[in-house]
Amino acid sequence: MGSINSDWQTIVAAKQKKSQSLIPEAWKIPESIKKELKYPLEENANRILDLDIPKRSGILSEREVEITESNTVAELLSKLASGAYTSLEVATAFCKRAAIAQQLVSCLTETFFDQAIARAKELDQAKADGKPLGPLHGLPISMKDGFQIKGLEASIGYVSFLGKLSEANSPLVDVLLGAGAVLYCKTNIPMTLMTADSHNNIFGRALNPHNTALNAGGSSGGEGALVAMRGSPIGVGTDVAGSIRIPSLCCGTYGFKPTSSRIPYGGQAIPGLPGFKPIVASAGPLANDFEALEIFAKAVIDSTPALLDSTALDVPWRTLKPITNSRLRFGVLPADPLYPLHPPVKRALEEAVKLIQAQGHEIVHLDVGETRVADACELSFELFTLTPGAAMGHLKASGEPPVPSVLAQTATANHGKYKFIPDFKHLDKLHEYAALSVKRQEYTEDWRKLWNHHKLDAIIAPAAQNTAVPHDTFGWPPYTVLFNVLDFPSVVMPFSKASKEIDSEPFQPQPGQAGTSYIPELFDGAPVSIQVATTRMRDEEVINISRVVDSILNKA
């Protein structure tokens, strides 16, 4: 990815003009509806989902509204297989809905609707010829911007990356195409990919459709916003500190972070030092229904992705029997004193635990001294910041300024008051990395002992201290990055919403604590989520157990 010499604002203006031209005029939201919104959108609490703009815009037919709103992923696939829906009409419906979402919440980067519609026609012909492609035949799937699709850009929010077209598909792209999926758009991300605000100078800020004054999460924030707008049945994100789960919790979707390397991650555009992976990221799905998570994971892993990606584990998907009468044993992750929970999050976690226990499952309330979330924060921060220059160097190459959330990344985890990580700064980078790796192994060994001592099946945890928060204030993600340090698979599922009536007391972190303030009026209606985790490589178990939890918490 080379540097550029032209004025960065001129290059951005040209890119934005081209992006806007790719939305057909017939798919533009009427001015009469735009007038209902308060601008700037990100400074005002526009509750986009409540306004029901996709249905009211006149852009979607009644059948297209039905396709995008009234089906789970399993139902879409069933109707595509039976011929009740054609690939063409499903692809067209989701392309239209994605275009609507883009105009409201800035969730997209690259759009290739024409190619998607041509692909859908080919799939319909293949089906007519008795040659359906695979388990995802005809299903539209959106992907985070870092995945490379031949002939398109993968700028990941850097002006200096614009103009370079991908020469080959990322392996996961080829896997999904081989399974019959229809790819039609890529989604917005943060500059550097390392903040919870999906904001950059090229594509702007992805907004939360529940409340545009709150963040959509990051770094897969465009996916979270698009899926919440029902502009995608399944969105593919990536997660190295919470980047699938944070957008899921902010936007009220389901999200699954697998064990690293089970879903192929290779061949992406990256912001940092190539080859340096102190914590290995995961790729995984975001969706509006729970079953979609397993449908995606099974379809991808059953394709033997290691044949296309040498970084992917060659481990088949195990189909487990449904949990029916088994009594599960859950450990409840306590709030760390340095990272207190907002009132809606604390309430939802307590309610979830009571509901799970009422169904006969065992609950073990773990102790802060044994879970040590703050120690995981120290570890992850020091690992992530071992090579800070590469990501920032891409900004200098174009002369573009950092966005506010990147500028805010100056404070260390735990306010720099470390208790677990000694001062390794006297070491050279190689020996510092080795020393941090030793501490990480010590931490994961302690968690192994914790798990065995309590005989746990899974962990129930908050997904974050908070719900979605005002832009550029999310901060460090203790309750997601914990499971990246451990490389545990985890699922985030929506449960409850913040309520100015129920959660009526404001909350302010005390000196020495991290986090944002809770303001009941501002946060009212924001989705709240619960996180479920199991040990490494128990991805099938976390899906199976999460299905039980979801059935308890989100009964129809």
Side-chain angles (χ1 to χ4, degrees):
M1 303 289 183
S3 63
I4 59 176
N5 299 315
S6 303
D7 175 69
W8 72 268
Q9 291 169 308
T10 302
I11 293 167
V12 165
K15 176 65 175 179
Q16 291 175 345
K17 183 178 180 181
K18 181 180 179 182
S19 297
Q20 291 165 4
S21 73
L22 295 175
I23 296 179
E25 283 298 318
W27 297 0
K28 298 286 180 69
I29 296 172
E31 289 298 322
S32 58
I33 289 182
K34 288 183 179 180
K35 289 179 181 178
E36 299 176 18
L37 305 174
K38 296 178 181 178
Y39 296 88
L41 294 176
E42 66 189 67
E43 296 177 13
N44 293 277
N46 295 279
R47 300 182 185 272
I48 301 293
L49 293 179
D50 292 344
L51 294 173
D52 202 14
I53 291 174
K55 185 181 293 184
R56 294 171 50 227
S57 68
I59 296 168
L60 299 169
S61 67
E62 287 187 15
R63 186 168 172 84
E64 288 167 339
V65 170
E66 173 201 294
I67 287 169
T68 54
E69 291 188 4
S70 301
N71 293 281
T72 64
V73 166
E75 288 166 345
L76 274 176
L77 288 170
S78 175
K79 291 175 182 178
L80 283 162
S82 70
Y85 292 155
T86 67
S87 298
L88 177 59
E89 63 181 338
V90 172
T92 302
F94 280 101
C95 285
K96 284 185 175 183
R97 190 131 188 163
I100 294 168
Q102 167 63 4
Q103 295 170 72
L104 295 169
V105 296
S106 303
C107 52
L108 306 184
T109 56
E110 307 299 315
T111 57
F112 39 105
F113 300 140
D114 287 348
Q115 296 97 310
I117 288 170
R119 158 83 168 173
K121 291 178 181 178
E122 293 172 359
L123 289 170
D124 283 333
Q125 186 60 54
K127 185 175 183 301
D129 294 340
K131 299 176 181 178
L133 285 196
L136 302 178
H137 185 101
L139 185 72
I141 292 181
S142 54
M143 302 192 78
K144 190 174 181 176
D145 190 69
F147 288 98
Q148 303 207 53
I149 298 175
K150 186 177 180 179
L152 300 176
E153 292 177 341
S155 63
I156 54 173
Y158 284 116
V159 177
S160 59
F161 283 20
L162 286 174
K164 181 176 177 63
L165 302 182
S166 298
E167 297 178 357
N169 291 337
S170 297
L172 183 54
V173 170
D174 283 333
V175 167
L176 294 174
L177 291 174
V182 177
L183 307 183
Y184 60 113
C185 62
K186 296 207 291 178
T187 53
N188 208 354
I189 40 46
M191 174 187 286
T192 74
L193 296 183
M194 285 301 292
T195 82
D197 286 85
S198 293
H199 181 206
N200 58 77
N201 291 320
I202 305 170
F203 305 106
R205 187 191 293 278
L207 303 176
N208 192 321
H210 292 271
N211 180 343
T212 56
L214 302 179
N215 75 324
S219 59
S220 311
E223 286 297 345
L226 179 63
V227 171
M229 288 286 295
R230 303 198 74 89
S232 176
I234 295 179
V236 184
T238 62
D239 191 315
V240 76
S243 294
I244 290 169
R245 292 161 293 160
I246 294 169
S248 296
L249 73 91
C250 286
C251 297
T253 75
Y254 291 86
F256 174 36
K257 181 205 83 69
T259 302
S260 64
S261 303
R262 287 216 70 187
I263 302 293
Y265 186 88
Q268 293 193 59
I270 58 171
L273 182 66
F276 185 68
K277 302 175 182 178
I279 295 177
V280 179
S282 300
L286 297 83
N288 282 312
D289 69 275
F290 177 81
E291 292 301 332
L293 305 182
E294 183 171 15
I295 288 171
F296 175 88
K298 185 178 187 303
V300 170
I301 293 173
D302 279 352
S303 75
T304 318
L307 295 174
L308 297 177
D309 185 350
S310 60
T311 70
L313 293 171
D314 192 5
V315 178
W317 183 263
R318 294 174 290 115
T319 300
L320 305 181
K321 293 181 180 179
I323 298 170
T324 52
N325 299 320
S326 299
R327 188 181 187 189
L328 297 170
R329 188 169 170 86
F330 291 94
V332 180
L333 188 78
D336 190 281
L338 294 181
Y339 299 95
L341 305 182
H342 278 195
V345 177
K346 183 178 180 181
R347 170 181 56 80
L349 182 62
E350 291 173 350
E351 289 177 1
V353 169
K354 289 179 182 177
L355 288 170
I356 293 166
Q357 194 167 28
Q359 292 298 313
H361 300 291
E362 295 182 74
I363 295 294
V364 179
H365 289 278
L366 304 175
D367 185 80
V368 171
E370 59 184 344
T371 54
R372 296 160 44 213
V373 170
D375 289 355
C377 291
E378 292 180 23
L379 263 169
S380 55
F381 184 88
E382 292 304 310
L383 286 167
F384 288 139
T385 56
L386 272 172
T387 58
M392 301 308 290
H394 300 313
L395 303 183
K396 294 177 182 178
S398 66
E400 65 173 315
V403 295
S405 61
V406 171
L407 283 174
Q409 286 182 310
T410 54
T412 58
N414 304 353
H415 298 287
K417 298 177 181 178
Y418 286 5
K419 296 180 180 179
F420 182 58
I421 302 296
D423 184 359
F424 292 140
K425 298 306 179 187
H426 63 285
L427 301 174
D428 61 61
K429 290 298 181 184
L430 176 61
H431 287 87
E432 185 179 358
Y433 179 36
L436 287 169
S437 298
V438 170
K439 295 299 287 185
R440 184 182 182 187
Q441 182 57 46
E442 177 186 329
Y443 184 77
T444 56
E445 173 65 10
D446 289 344
W447 261 84
R448 182 192 66 78
K449 294 176 181 176
L450 176 161
W451 200 275
N452 291 338
H453 173 71
H454 292 294
K455 298 180 173 59
L456 300 179
D457 291 305
I459 292 285
I460 297 288
Q465 294 177 260
N466 40 261
T467 60
V469 294
H471 303 297
D472 306 319
T473 65
F474 196 93
W476 196 250
Y479 299 105
T480 50
V481 78
L482 163 68
F483 297 119
N484 296 94
V485 169
L486 295 169
D487 199 14
F488 284 7
S490 59
V491 168
V492 161
M493 64 185 68
F495 175 61
S496 190
K497 291 187 175 182
S499 167
K500 63 184 178 182
E501 285 84 22
I502 301 173
D503 314 302
S504 58
E505 291 298 319
F507 172 80
Q508 179 73 39
Q510 299 302 304
Q513 294 180 325
T516 60
S517 299
Y518 168 71
I519 304 165
E521 288 285 341
L522 177 60
F523 288 75
D524 187 50
V528 184
S529 294
I530 299 299
Q531 187 172 199
V532 180
T534 56
T535 51
R536 190 168 187 266
M537 294 300 296
R538 294 293 180 178
D539 300 82
E540 294 86 348
E541 280 79 2
V542 82
I543 290 291
N544 222 19
I545 293 169
S546 294
R547 182 181 291 107
V548 172
V549 175
D550 185 57
S551 69
I552 294 170
L553 303 186
N554 295 305
K555 291 179 179 177

mmCIF file of all heavy atoms in Angstrom, residues 1-3 148 154-155 160-162 164 166 269-270 394 397:
data_model
loop_
_atom_site.group_PDB
_atom_site.id
_atom_site.type_symbol
_atom_site.label_atom_id
_atom_site.label_comp_id
_atom_site.label_asym_id
_atom_site.label_seq_id
_atom_site.Cartn_x
_atom_site.Cartn_y
_atom_site.Cartn_z
ATOM 1 N N MET A 1 0.847 -1.178 0.000
ATOM 2 C CA MET A 1 0.000 0.000 0.000
ATOM 3 C C MET A 1 0.895 1.244 0.000
ATOM 4 O O MET A 1 1.520 1.576 1.013
ATOM 5 C CB MET A 1 -0.895 0.016 1.251
ATOM 6 C CG MET A 1 -1.775 -1.215 1.403
ATOM 7 S SD MET A 1 -3.097 -1.252 0.183
ATOM 8 C CE MET A 1 -3.961 -2.731 0.672
ATOM 9 N N GLY A 2 0.978 1.932 -1.086
ATOM 10 C CA GLY A 2 1.908 3.040 -1.186
ATOM 11 C C GLY A 2 1.322 4.342 -0.712
ATOM 12 O O GLY A 2 0.141 4.465 -0.413
ATOM 13 N N SER A 3 2.178 5.352 -0.662
ATOM 14 C CA SER A 3 1.744 6.677 -0.252
ATOM 15 C C SER A 3 1.138 7.398 -1.445
ATOM 16 O O SER A 3 1.254 6.977 -2.592
ATOM 17 C CB SER A 3 2.933 7.472 0.294
ATOM 18 O OG SER A 3 3.895 7.662 -0.716
ATOM 19 N N GLN A 148 -10.814 -8.584 1.106
ATOM 20 C CA GLN A 148 -10.507 -8.145 -0.247
ATOM 21 C C GLN A 148 -11.340 -8.907 -1.275
ATOM 22 O O GLN A 148 -11.473 -10.129 -1.209
ATOM 23 C CB GLN A 148 -9.021 -8.343 -0.536
ATOM 24 C CG GLN A 148 -8.152 -7.600 0.474
ATOM 25 C CD GLN A 148 -6.803 -7.215 -0.073
ATOM 26 O OE1 GLN A 148 -6.697 -6.587 -1.127
ATOM 27 N NE2 GLN A 148 -5.757 -7.573 0.651
ATOM 28 N N ALA A 154 -9.883 -1.939 -0.826
ATOM 29 C CA ALA A 154 -9.986 -2.333 0.584
ATOM 30 C C ALA A 154 -9.177 -1.297 1.365
ATOM 31 O O ALA A 154 -8.104 -1.586 1.884
ATOM 32 C CB ALA A 154 -9.466 -3.739 0.800
ATOM 33 N N SER A 155 -9.705 -0.094 1.423
ATOM 34 C CA SER A 155 -8.930 1.033 1.957
ATOM 35 C C SER A 155 -8.875 1.049 3.481
ATOM 36 O O SER A 155 -8.046 1.761 4.053
ATOM 37 C CB SER A 155 -9.528 2.355 1.470
ATOM 38 O OG SER A 155 -10.845 2.514 1.956
ATOM 39 N N SER A 160 -4.484 6.952 2.161
ATOM 40 C CA SER A 160 -3.291 6.477 1.453
ATOM 41 C C SER A 160 -3.480 5.101 0.828
ATOM 42 O O SER A 160 -2.664 4.668 0.016
ATOM 43 C CB SER A 160 -2.079 6.454 2.398
ATOM 44 O OG SER A 160 -2.304 5.620 3.509
ATOM 45 N N PHE A 161 -4.555 4.391 1.190
ATOM 46 C CA PHE A 161 -4.838 3.091 0.589
ATOM 47 C C PHE A 161 -5.772 3.207 -0.616
ATOM 48 O O PHE A 161 -5.979 2.225 -1.339
ATOM 49 C CB PHE A 161 -5.493 2.158 1.607
ATOM 50 C CG PHE A 161 -4.537 1.562 2.626
ATOM 51 C CD1 PHE A 161 -3.303 2.128 2.895
ATOM 52 C CD2 PHE A 161 -4.893 0.414 3.320
ATOM 53 C CE1 PHE A 161 -2.446 1.573 3.829
ATOM 54 C CE2 PHE A 161 -4.050 -0.150 4.265
ATOM 55 C CZ PHE A 161 -2.816 0.435 4.517
ATOM 56 N N LEU A 162 -6.382 4.378 -0.827
ATOM 57 C CA LEU A 162 -7.308 4.535 -1.938
ATOM 58 C C LEU A 162 -6.573 4.416 -3.275
ATOM 59 O O LEU A 162 -5.420 4.816 -3.405
ATOM 60 C CB LEU A 162 -8.014 5.886 -1.854
ATOM 61 C CG LEU A 162 -9.090 6.028 -0.778
ATOM 62 C CD1 LEU A 162 -9.591 7.460 -0.710
ATOM 63 C CD2 LEU A 162 -10.253 5.070 -1.028
ATOM 64 N N LYS A 164 -5.855 1.630 -4.856
ATOM 65 C CA LYS A 164 -5.266 0.304 -5.072
ATOM 66 C C LYS A 164 -6.383 -0.729 -5.076
ATOM 67 O O LYS A 164 -7.094 -0.899 -4.089
ATOM 68 C CB LYS A 164 -4.249 -0.023 -3.977
ATOM 69 C CG LYS A 164 -3.586 -1.387 -4.161
ATOM 70 C CD LYS A 164 -2.520 -1.641 -3.130
ATOM 71 C CE LYS A 164 -1.912 -3.026 -3.260
ATOM 72 N NZ LYS A 164 -1.217 -3.232 -4.534
ATOM 73 N N SER A 166 -7.867 -4.536 -5.178
ATOM 74 C CA SER A 166 -7.472 -5.871 -4.725
ATOM 75 C C SER A 166 -7.224 -6.771 -5.927
ATOM 76 O O SER A 166 -8.029 -6.820 -6.866
ATOM 77 C CB SER A 166 -8.558 -6.478 -3.839
ATOM 78 O OG SER A 166 -8.745 -5.696 -2.669
ATOM 79 N N ALA A 269 -6.725 -6.689 4.069
ATOM 80 C CA ALA A 269 -5.964 -5.451 4.221
ATOM 81 C C ALA A 269 -5.810 -5.197 5.711
ATOM 82 O O ALA A 269 -6.766 -5.329 6.477
ATOM 83 C CB ALA A 269 -6.708 -4.293 3.561
ATOM 84 N N ILE A 270 -4.601 -4.854 6.144
ATOM 85 C CA ILE A 270 -4.343 -4.674 7.568
ATOM 86 C C ILE A 270 -3.709 -3.310 7.821
ATOM 87 O O ILE A 270 -2.994 -2.777 6.977
ATOM 88 C CB ILE A 270 -3.435 -5.784 8.130
ATOM 89 C CG1 ILE A 270 -2.099 -5.819 7.367
ATOM 90 C CG2 ILE A 270 -4.131 -7.133 8.060
ATOM 91 C CD1 ILE A 270 -1.079 -6.721 7.990
ATOM 92 N N HIS A 394 0.388 5.249 8.036
ATOM 93 C CA HIS A 394 -0.503 5.333 6.884
ATOM 94 C C HIS A 394 -1.221 6.685 6.835
ATOM 95 O O HIS A 394 -1.589 7.157 5.752
ATOM 96 C CB HIS A 394 -1.527 4.205 6.930
ATOM 97 C CG HIS A 394 -0.929 2.828 6.905
ATOM 98 N ND1 HIS A 394 0.053 2.467 6.013
ATOM 99 C CD2 HIS A 394 -1.169 1.724 7.662
ATOM 100 C CE1 HIS A 394 0.396 1.196 6.216
ATOM 101 N NE2 HIS A 394 -0.336 0.733 7.223
ATOM 102 N N ALA A 397 1.245 9.243 5.440
ATOM 103 C CA ALA A 397 1.491 9.067 4.008
ATOM 104 C C ALA A 397 0.593 9.950 3.160
ATOM 105 O O ALA A 397 0.970 10.348 2.060
ATOM 106 C CB ALA A 397 1.300 7.608 3.624
#
